[in-house]
Amino acid sequence: MPPQQPQQRRGTTARSEEARALERARDLPNSRTATDVDTLRRAFADHLQYSQGKDEHTATALDRYFAVAYSVRDRMMRRWIQTQQAYYKQDAKRVYYLSLEFLMGKALENNLLNVGLYDGMRSALSDLGLDLADLLSQEPDAGLGNGGLGRLAACFLDSLATLSIPAYGYGIRYEFGIFDQEIRNGYQVERPEEWLRFGSAWEIPRPDATVPVSIYGRTEHYVDEKGKLRVRWVDARHVLGMPYDVPIAGFGNSTVNTLRLWRARASQELDLADFNAGDYLSAVEDKDLSENISKVLYPNDLTVMGKELRLQQQYFFVCCSIHDIVNRHLKMHDGFGSFPDKVAIQMNDTHPAIAVAELMRVLVDEQGLEWDEAWEIARATFGYTNHTLMPEALERWSVDLFGRVLPRHLEIVYEINRRFIDGVRAERKADDGAISRMSVIEEGPTKQVRMANLAVVGSHSVNGVAALHTELLKRELFRDFHALWPEKFNNKTNGVTPRRWLLQANPGLAKSITEVIGPEWLTDATQLRRLEPLAEDAGFRRLFRSVKRDNKARLAEIVRAENGITLDLDSIFDVQVKRIHEYKRQLLDVLRVASEYLRLKEDRSYDPYPRTYLFGGKAAPGYAMAKWIIKLVNSVADVVNHDVDVKGRVTVAFLRNYRVSLAERIFPAAEVSEQISTAGKEASGTGNMKFALNGALTIGTLDGANVEIREEVGAENFFLFGLTVEQVAALKKRGYDPWEWYRNDRRIKQVLDALASGVFSPGEPGLFRPIVDSLLNGGDPYLVLADFAAYCACQEEVEKAYRDPEHWTRMAILNVARTGKFSSDRTIREYAEEIWNVPPVRVG
Ligand SMILES: *Cc1c(COP(=O)(O)O)cnc(C)c1O
């Protein structure tokens, strides 16, 4: 036994002594975290030596990246601690953003820019003969999300910190994020993305804040010592949630918020029993099983898989987060009376909707509150954001599975539902049909828990993500709920952060903008309006075009390296990048490209303006039709790019592994933004906003936020085509027969016949039969053929406009100038004021 250390008194006196001494130590002159170029260089050298253990001979680019990242992180630490102290001291109301996805991308460049170290670090490194850009590229993307929903959460974190709002993101620290997409022989191949292989410079593990989580088992009802009926959860399996904290720096302020990601760890207690029984191997196996919970992100965008592990993931991160939130509250407050005045929890889609039942369980079973009191608190605390109307995205769990994994929560859900329905019946606020549609439990051969209904019933606010989407929510999906509680529903049109998507991604354009209107646009994007007059300035237009050309050249380098294709920088860069989904209609785009090719082949006098069609996006691994679409794009590219007859007129490339860091190269280089979803299907879109902010003109349908983008930039600066929501509904009601369009439109017949006969699959004539079949015999559910002619006509307008470069540039500049509304700062300000009631807390 080592000798016992004398017990130190850790009372207030000792603490404040420690605080004073720490203060003095930190305030020494020549602080080692100063931000002058010399100290930054010293920091880099120190980290290379002390953190990486390398010298100039042995250091790799990755070592140097880590040395820079740690130097930046050091300079965020003080602010991070001060921010948390400020929230604590002011007993500020906090926002908790619960999301199963955070599609963060790389962090270093964003952190350099947000904390104002970019220029200093670049010169510090250039004195050492190092290029900052080379080191930035070493960082792997944090791809903890599928697409728009996850990227929205990342943009929101940036805006929350920039607006000085006391906020925390809560999610899962997946060991494997979204898969790495390779293309082999034109087909998508998925490979695991080991983003943590070399460790992350940004996460700080907090084993001291580990949370125990129960799953499975059963419930026991008993009478407590006061004679009260209580419930306990017994015979459960146990897992631990260990938090990893990531700092989120605001731009141009001293706020550093926290993104807390939970990792599943095996529970020690559980292992011990097996070890004692001498069964070492099964104890280790068990450990593996529980740690599987945070292993991998489900790669499905907008479709549910209904897998048990997914339900475990949802509950795991919700349980850890609610525990954390309640603990933090109880540190400062005796009970729960003020809980909704101090806590706002936003649920990003229904993925965290079990939080409603979990908070009820904690308040009623663990904290001993009465049901009614707990319910009022829960409802006042939660807000729910809906992200889609697509029926395949609506989460439902079979009562069987739900009750097996979460026996106590199933009881709570039933109780919530019983009281909800009793209340509605008693007040005669809905008929039986409406009640059965609103019920949290779907009756039928296999009973289901409807997570969206749980989220609506358990929240004081339900929002859609664009004006049109919110209207459709009220009219269709949540029609009955809207009739019951109209005041609950509101719209929060999505946005994107102008720091990452303009300042970081497009430094050339950002610099030109700042030179003419100053830097205020960075935190007030409506200032971009002051660019409007510059649209009439020939000199600015020339500058704008030269920046776009440089960006096209940078993207062309990637395409040459990845695809072996040389792009014509004078051609129109026409881009569709987003997850591959039938409703997004990549098929409409590629069928038209194929049709252009056929027209060029048959009509030698046809002379379209040279165009480069770029596609990118991942298909869910189990989504066969999405994978066929990728194969088709690659096959069309092969045929078109190698045909000397059309050389220089049409070029096609599929950019593999579309992700945040690639998106940062694509948007600034794009000239035409393809936003062509079937009207009523895209809830908002955010890619559409990033394109417009970077001066691409949209060709699009009246869907999602396209509607509002068009209102902002002006109808004359937007290429609109296609059926409206009403026309889509009318056509389907009348009975849509795609064969009619096939027979009556020569171009449709020509391109589908070519597909079916193997023109684009030499040697494999029947290859694209599944695509042709889904359009003609599968009913063409997304109306590709019905919108084809309008789309082709609109693309001719695009071409005509592009032939007048001065006119095109005017329109492009006006798009940049008029998209300030789509800053996520505006979105977050609306959430903070209208849903959360959370004021900012200035730090430093
Ligand atoms: C913005 C973004 C999305 C969302 O694009 P949509 O066109 O709105 O679907 C998806 N993935 C990445 C990497 C993005 O940056």
Side-chain angles (χ1 to χ4, degrees):
M1 283 278 277
Q4 285 269 232
Q5 289 291 121
Q7 195 76 49
Q8 209 193 319
R9 242 190 86 236
R10 299 300 306 170
T12 352
T13 336
R15 276 244 175 86
S16 56
E17 244 170 66
E18 182 182 359
R20 276 193 300 275
L22 284 174
E23 204 66 38
R24 278 196 305 277
R26 289 183 195 121
D27 288 344
L28 285 178
N30 296 325
S31 154
R32 59 178 281 274
T33 56
T35 55
D36 58 285
V37 173
D38 289 333
T39 313
L40 286 175
R41 196 180 309 103
R42 168 77 187 269
F44 172 79
D46 280 351
H47 275 297
L48 203 57
Q49 178 166 240
Y50 299 121
S51 303
Q52 298 304 106
K54 292 288 186 77
D55 64 15
E56 65 277 16
H57 305 294
T58 53
T60 63
L62 189 70
D63 290 317
R64 296 190 172 99
Y65 155 76
F66 271 105
V68 175
Y70 286 136
S71 304
V72 174
R73 198 182 84 171
D74 287 347
R75 282 152 185 80
M76 295 163 70
M77 281 295 175
R78 190 75 199 278
R79 296 175 183 204
W80 199 1
I81 291 167
Q82 278 175 341
T83 301
Q84 304 313 312
Q85 286 178 348
Y87 297 165
Y88 180 78
K89 283 183 188 146
Q90 297 187 31
D91 188 19
K93 179 166 185 179
R94 274 100 153 169
V95 185
Y96 298 101
Y97 197 78
L98 268 54
S99 178
L100 220 39
E101 303 190 10
F102 288 93
L103 191 53
M104 303 296 285
K106 300 180 197 288
L108 178 53
E109 187 172 13
N110 189 242
N111 285 335
L112 280 164
L113 289 166
N114 278 20
V115 303
L117 290 176
Y118 189 89
D119 291 332
M121 187 61 81
R122 199 180 39 187
S123 11
L125 291 173
S126 88
D127 296 345
L128 298 165
L130 296 171
D131 181 15
L132 177 58
D134 289 344
L135 303 190
L136 296 179
S137 69
Q138 292 296 314
E139 181 176 359
D141 275 41
L144 309 184
N146 275 285
L149 175 146
R151 184 54 230 174
L152 183 75
C155 284
F156 280 4
L157 292 181
D158 184 81
S159 286
L160 284 160
T162 299
L163 292 172
S164 308
I165 293 176
Y168 302 74
Y170 276 116
I172 292 180
R173 179 184 176 275
Y174 301 107
E175 195 174 324
F176 298 98
I178 188 64
F179 61 83
D180 173 45
Q181 178 192 53
E182 288 189 1
I183 302 298
R184 291 212 202 119
N185 186 30
Y187 293 96
Q188 166 174 301
V189 174
E190 304 94 24
R191 306 181 122 276
E193 166 60 22
E194 284 185 79
W195 73 292
L196 291 171
R197 188 165 48 227
F198 301 104
S200 163
W202 306 108
E203 60 177 23
I204 301 201
R206 305 274 187 212
D208 54 300
T210 294
V211 175
V213 179
S214 302
I215 35 174
Y216 301 104
R218 60 192 174 82
T219 61
E220 248 176 31
H221 294 237
Y222 67 102
V223 178
D224 71 9
E225 59 282 8
K226 291 183 195 139
K228 199 174 147 196
L229 217 72
R230 304 278 296 259
V231 184
R232 62 182 160 227
W233 184 359
V234 298
D235 294 342
R237 270 183 42 193
H238 302 281
V239 189
L240 298 175
M242 194 206 313
Y244 285 70
D245 287 352
V246 180
I248 307 292
F251 178 88
N253 62 11
S254 295
T255 296
V256 178
N257 283 336
T258 303
L259 168 60
R260 178 161 274 196
L261 299 175
W262 299 99
R263 177 186 185 186
R265 311 298 330 252
S267 154
Q268 296 299 323
E269 307 156 47
L270 194 84
D271 289 353
L272 211 56
D274 283 325
F275 275 120
N276 290 343
D279 195 351
Y280 172 75
L281 282 180
S282 85
V284 173
E285 270 167 21
D286 227 54
K287 180 174 145 83
D288 262 349
L289 282 181
S290 34
E291 299 197 343
N292 274 345
I293 292 179
S294 58
K295 193 69 69 179
V296 60
L297 166 77
Y298 276 87
N300 308 288
D301 193 51
L302 303 180
T303 44
V304 294
M305 290 269 278
K307 286 279 198 289
E308 189 159 332
L309 183 62
R310 170 76 171 187
L311 181 61
Q312 290 180 7
Q313 288 187 336
Q314 295 186 347
Y315 179 63
F316 166 74
F317 109 96
V318 157
C319 172
C320 293
S321 308
I322 293 289
H323 180 97
D324 219 37
I325 293 166
V326 167
N327 257 8
R328 191 172 293 117
H329 183 77
L330 289 178
K331 262 192 200 151
M332 287 291 280
H333 305 271
D334 280 336
F336 292 88
S338 65
F339 195 78
D341 303 326
K342 294 295 171 186
V343 174
I345 302 177
Q346 192 66 29
M347 300 186 286
N348 196 22
D349 212 313
T350 56
H351 315 150
I354 315 169
V356 172
E358 173 65 5
L359 183 60
M360 288 302 288
R361 186 188 69 80
V362 170
L363 294 181
V364 173
D365 293 357
E366 294 185 352
Q367 302 288 336
L369 269 65
E370 294 300 329
W371 181 280
D372 289 330
E373 192 190 348
W375 183 241
E376 238 175 76
I377 290 169
R379 279 243 281 214
T381 300
F382 286 112
Y384 156 53
T385 303
N386 173 280
H387 283 271
T388 176
L389 301 158
M390 306 278 292
E392 61 265 44
L394 283 181
E395 288 197 296
R396 288 183 175 84
W397 294 104
S398 83
V399 161
D400 251 24
L401 171 64
F402 196 99
R404 204 153 44 72
V405 178
L406 301 169
R408 178 56 183 144
H409 296 77
L410 184 60
E411 293 177 350
I412 290 171
V413 166
Y414 266 102
E415 184 62 13
I416 289 171
N417 198 40
R418 186 186 67 76
R419 288 168 182 252
F420 160 60
I421 289 174
D422 284 356
V424 174
R425 282 234 167 85
E427 295 179 39
R428 299 179 192 288
K429 290 216 171 130
D431 62 26
D432 284 351
I435 286 174
S436 87
R437 287 188 297 270
M438 289 190 289
S439 172
V440 180
I441 304 294
E442 181 175 302
E443 302 294 338
T446 53
K447 288 191 187 185
Q448 315 256 327
V449 182
R450 294 166 168 158
M451 302 308 276
N453 294 26
L454 177 61
V456 173
V457 172
S459 300
H460 70 282
S461 163
V462 177
N463 74 282
V465 289
L468 174 64
H469 168 63
T470 301
E471 284 315 302
L472 293 174
L473 268 187
K474 296 196 277 196
R475 220 153 69 200
E476 291 166 14
L477 185 61
F478 295 144
R479 184 195 176 91
D480 303 305
F481 283 119
H482 180 246
L484 183 63
W485 295 314
E487 66 289 345
K488 245 192 216 196
F489 289 81
N490 64 92
N491 175 246
K492 297 288 169 279
T493 299
N494 282 167
V496 301
T497 169
R499 273 78 61 182
R500 183 176 292 260
W501 295 113
L502 186 46
L503 177 65
Q504 178 181 320
N506 198 342
L509 182 56
K511 181 160 173 280
S512 313
I513 292 172
T514 300
E515 274 167 10
V516 291
I517 66 168
E520 289 76 26
W521 63 273
L522 284 161
T523 48
D524 174 9
T526 63
Q527 294 288 327
L528 291 169
R529 284 261 173 196
R530 289 165 49 212
L531 286 174
E532 276 189 29
L534 278 296
E536 296 306 325
D537 179 327
F540 189 78
R541 288 202 299 271
R542 212 174 312 115
L543 178 63
F544 188 93
R545 276 195 298 273
S546 115
V547 168
K548 183 62 81 180
R549 202 185 163 82
D550 289 347
N551 294 336
K552 288 166 78 174
R554 285 212 297 171
L555 181 59
E557 274 178 45
I558 296 175
V559 176
R560 185 206 289 276
E562 290 273 344
N563 301 58
I565 300 170
T566 306
L567 301 187
D568 170 9
L569 298 185
D570 292 319
S571 67
I572 307 173
F573 275 29
D574 179 320
V575 185
Q576 187 170 22
V577 285
K578 47 183 77 247
R579 286 298 289 246
I580 311 293
H581 205 295
E582 285 160 284
Y583 86 79
K584 290 175 183 277
R585 297 201 294 193
Q586 280 92 357
L587 254 186
L588 181 56
D589 194 342
V590 68
L591 285 182
R592 185 189 149 274
V593 174
S595 169
E596 279 284 288
Y597 167 78
L598 297 172
R599 182 169 169 194
L600 277 163
K601 293 291 281 183
E602 78 180 3
D603 178 1
R604 290 306 162 99
S605 69
Y606 179 47
D607 186 27
Y609 198 95
R611 232 198 260 216
T612 299
Y613 296 93
L614 298 173
F615 292 82
K618 292 173 184 175
Y623 189 170
M625 188 51 62
K627 291 184 145 181
W628 279 119
I629 293 170
I630 291 175
K631 173 62 178 170
L632 178 60
V633 170
N634 282 307
S635 296
V636 169
D638 268 351
V639 169
V640 169
N641 298 342
H642 292 116
D643 190 329
V644 287
D645 292 351
V646 303
K647 194 125 195 99
R649 323 272 255 301
V650 186
T651 307
V652 185
F654 185 89
L655 302 175
R656 74 155 196 111
N657 206 27
Y658 179 56
R659 62 198 185 280
V660 172
S661 58
L662 183 56
E664 289 168 12
R665 294 279 166 275
I666 294 173
F667 294 117
E671 296 177 297
V672 177
S673 158
E674 299 274 352
Q675 306 301 333
I676 58 179
S677 53
T678 315
K681 299 295 182 191
E682 187 75 86
S684 163
T686 49
N688 47 5
M689 300 166 185
K690 299 172 212 165
F691 276 110
L693 190 63
N694 283 279
L697 301 190
T698 308
I699 179 166
T701 49
L702 278 181
D703 200 15
N706 293 356
V707 177
E708 291 158 76
I709 291 174
R710 180 166 172 267
E711 274 169 17
E712 291 292 306
V713 305
E716 67 284 10
N717 302 306
F718 185 107
F719 295 95
L720 178 71
F721 77 96
L723 300 171
T724 61
V725 170
E726 289 71 26
Q727 290 167 332
V728 166
L731 177 55
K732 291 208 164 169
K733 192 165 168 206
R734 180 167 94 224
Y736 170 56
D737 179 11
W739 283 102
E740 265 179 56
W741 271 260
Y742 171 84
R743 282 190 295 266
N744 296 331
D745 186 324
R746 205 191 74 87
R747 289 191 64 175
I748 292 178
K749 182 171 188 312
Q750 184 187 37
V751 73
L752 291 190
D753 288 350
L755 260 201
S757 68
V759 171
F760 297 101
S761 50
E764 293 174 282
L767 192 68
F768 292 121
R769 219 39 258 190
I771 291 180
V772 178
D773 261 357
S774 96
L775 293 174
L776 291 177
N777 302 321
D780 183 15
Y782 299 102
L783 306 181
V784 172
L785 304 190
D787 268 340
F788 189 80
Y791 178 57
C792 293
C794 192
Q795 283 286 20
E796 284 187 32
E797 297 301 313
V798 169
E799 171 174 336
K800 219 185 285 168
Y802 197 88
R803 286 179 188 274
D804 180 350
E806 297 300 341
H807 172 56
W808 183 273
T809 312
R810 258 184 223 112
M811 293 197 290
I813 293 171
L814 290 177
N815 264 261
V816 178
R818 296 175 178 173
T819 31
K821 170 177 170 184
F822 305 102
S823 165
S824 46
D825 296 347
R826 185 269 314 149
T827 313
I828 285 298
R829 211 172 273 123
E830 290 177 5
Y831 274 93
E833 287 171 7
E834 297 163 21
I835 299 178
W836 305 328
N837 190 26
V838 174
V841 169
R842 312 273 166 214
V843 179

